[in-house]
Amino acid sequence: PPALSFLENPSNVTSSLGKTVRLRCRVRGAGEPPEMGWQRDGHPLELADSDQAQVPLSEDVWLGTSQLSIPAVQLSDAGRYRCWARAGGEQL
């Protein structure tokens, strides 16, 4: 089986200007805990406002969660956002 699999990944999100948008993804994997991050239109969001957690489900299985917050969304925030995860040499 793959080292990583997405359990939850954001799809289309509609919001009103000025509202906070939260995108969340969850990954399950075996082996080491994941490294997770976000991209917008294919570019890394290095300083993104995100919360991340890795929770062990058993000795060698874990659950990783990442939530990206965009406070007071503006038209300039529009784009294609993607969550990525990397562990055990595999990246999704």
Side-chain angles (χ1 to χ4, degrees):
L4 293 170
S5 62
F6 278 102
L7 300 176
E8 180 181 351
N9 206 358
S11 56
N12 292 331
V13 175
T14 303
S15 179
S16 299
L17 290 175
K19 299 289 183 182
T20 297
V21 172
R22 289 183 181 85
L23 306 174
R24 186 172 89 163
C25 72
R26 292 182 345 158
V27 178
R28 181 183 171 132
E32 63 188 61
E35 177 185 354
M36 298 176 75
W38 291 88
Q39 295 179 337
R40 184 176 84 188
D41 297 329
H43 301 286
L45 294 174
E46 301 289 341
L47 302 174
D49 181 11
S50 65
D51 294 320
Q52 297 186 21
Q54 291 85 19
V55 178
L57 300 177
S58 69
E59 195 170 302
D60 65 343
V61 177
W62 46 259
L63 175 68
T65 302
S66 182
Q67 180 172 287
L68 174 68
S69 294
I70 305 170
V73 71
Q74 300 298 311
L75 289 176
S76 61
D77 294 314
R80 183 178 204 146
Y81 289 81
R82 292 182 180 209
C83 176
W84 59 265
R86 180 176 28 237
E90 183 177 348
Q91 180 169 330
L92 294 177

